[in-house]
Amino acid sequence: MNIRRATAAVALAGATALALTLTGCSGTSASAKDGKLDVVASFYPLEYATEQIGGAHVHVTDLTPPGTEPHDLELAPRQVAAVHSADLVVYLKGLQPTVDQAVAQGGPAHTAEVTSYAPLEDHGTEVDGAAENHARTADGRAGDPHVWLDPERYAKIARGIGDQLAKADPAHAADYRAGADRFTARLGALDKEFRTGLTGCRAKTFVTSHAAFGYLAESYGLDQIAINGVDPESEPTPARMTEIQDQAREHGVTTVFFESLVSPKLARTIAGDLHLKTAVLDPLEGVKDPAKDDYFSVMRRNLANLRTALGCSR
C-alpha cells in the first residue's frame, strides 16, 4: 500500500473518534446558522460545480485545500465532523479513501456520489498494474476517475448534483435545476470549442506526466501516452520510459506535458532526452488560486496548449 495512504487510513481512525465528539458538541450547522444548505465537496471540480449550481442557497466546504493534490488527502478531525454533519456530501468514490470511509461511518443526510452519474472507464493507463487503491469501474476493474475533464461527462455529474441539492432542499428545487441548466449550457459551449479547436490537427498523440486525460482523449479523437499512471505518485520502470520515448518518436510528438501540482522531473527528463518542448496540461484536480482561475479558464488554457502541441490549424 502507498505509505501516505496507509498513514491516512491510520489517521482517519483517530480522526473519526474525535469527530464523533466534535459533532456532538459543535453546535448548529451552517444551514441552521444562515439558512444555507451545508454542503461538503471532496475536491475542486465537485466544489466548483456545486457552487455554480447552488448559488446563494448553498455554503460549500472543499475538503481539499487549493493547490493540494487530492489523491492522498488526509482528513483532520474537524473535516470528518463536517462530513458527518453535512446536509449533502459530494464525492467520487475510490479517489480519496478517507472521504469514502468518513461518509460510510458518518451517514450524512444526503450524498451525491458522482460515478453514479458518470460511470468510470478503464483506459488501461496504470503503470506496472498499480491499482490497489484506485477508483473502480462497475465491473471492478481499475477505473480512471478524471471524468470532469470531459465536459459532456461533467455535465452529467452537474445534473446529478442538481438533483441531490433539490432533494436536500426541496424549497429551492426549481433554483437548483435552473442552476444546473445554466452550468450544463456553459459546458456544452466548451465542448463545442474543443471539438472545433481540435479538428484539422497535424498530430493526435500527446505525452503527459499523469494519466488523467483518457476521457478528454476519447471524446476528441486523441491518443494519450502517460508517463505515470492514474495515481500521479506511481513510477514508471526504465523499460516503460524507453517505451514512452519510442512512442513519442513514432508519433512525431513535439511536446511533453506536465502539471502544476506534481513534480515535472520525469516529463522534463523525457523532453530533454528527445529535444522536445514542455508545457502544462492541467488535470484540474485542484486550482492554486481560485480567485484568478476556474474550471473554464483552465480548460481553455489546456485547449490552447493542446492546439499548439498538436499543430492544429483552425
Side-chain angles (χ1 to χ4, degrees), residues 51-154:
E51 288 181 336
Q52 295 298 302
I53 296 165
H57 299 309
V58 299
H59 174 272
V60 184
T61 300
D62 188 350
L63 294 175
T64 306
T68 301
E69 209 289 319
H71 286 260
D72 295 306
L73 175 70
E74 297 181 24
L75 294 181
R78 288 194 177 277
Q79 291 177 300
V80 176
V83 169
H84 293 178
S85 63
D87 298 317
L88 172 67
V89 175
V90 185
Y91 72 111
L92 194 159
K93 186 176 181 180
L95 180 66
Q96 298 166 296
T98 56
V99 176
D100 298 349
Q101 293 170 39
V103 169
Q105 294 167 356
H110 297 272
T111 60
E113 197 290 291
V114 301
T115 67
S116 62
Y117 316 128
L120 302 187
E121 296 180 5
D122 176 10
H123 289 131
T125 46
E126 286 303 329
V127 172
D128 297 332
E132 178 183 354
N133 296 302
H134 291 168
R136 298 282 169 176
T137 63
D139 59 2
R141 292 173 295 156
D144 178 356
H146 303 88
V147 285
W148 60 90
L149 290 170
D150 172 10
E152 289 189 325
R153 287 180 172 87
Y154 194 30

Side-chain angles (χ1 to χ4, degrees), residues 241-311:
M241 291 285 282
T242 300
E243 181 183 3
I244 291 167
Q245 292 176 337
D246 290 343
Q247 290 177 328
R249 292 188 187 96
E250 177 185 351
H251 295 287
V253 170
T254 65
T255 306
V256 178
F257 288 108
F258 61 93
E259 59 191 74
S260 57
L261 298 184
V262 297
S263 172
K265 181 178 179 180
L266 284 174
R268 287 176 171 160
T269 296
I270 289 177
D273 289 345
L274 298 176
H275 306 290
L276 304 178
K277 299 175 183 178
T278 58
V280 172
L281 199 61
D282 196 322
L284 267 160
E285 294 171 340
V287 171
K288 284 188 174 181
D289 188 352
K292 294 174 58 178
D293 276 318
D294 66 10
Y295 175 86
F296 290 95
S297 66
V298 175
M299 283 293 283
R300 290 189 171 101
R301 197 153 59 237
N302 283 344
L303 174 58
N305 289 344
L306 279 169
R307 282 176 49 78
T308 298
L310 299 175

Side-chain angles (χ1 to χ4, degrees), residues 186 188-198 300 303 307:
R186 292 180 68 194
L190 181 67
D191 174 62
K192 289 180 182 178
E193 290 179 38
F194 268 79
R195 293 192 185 282
T196 300
L198 295 173
R300 290 189 171 101
L303 174 58
R307 282 176 49 78

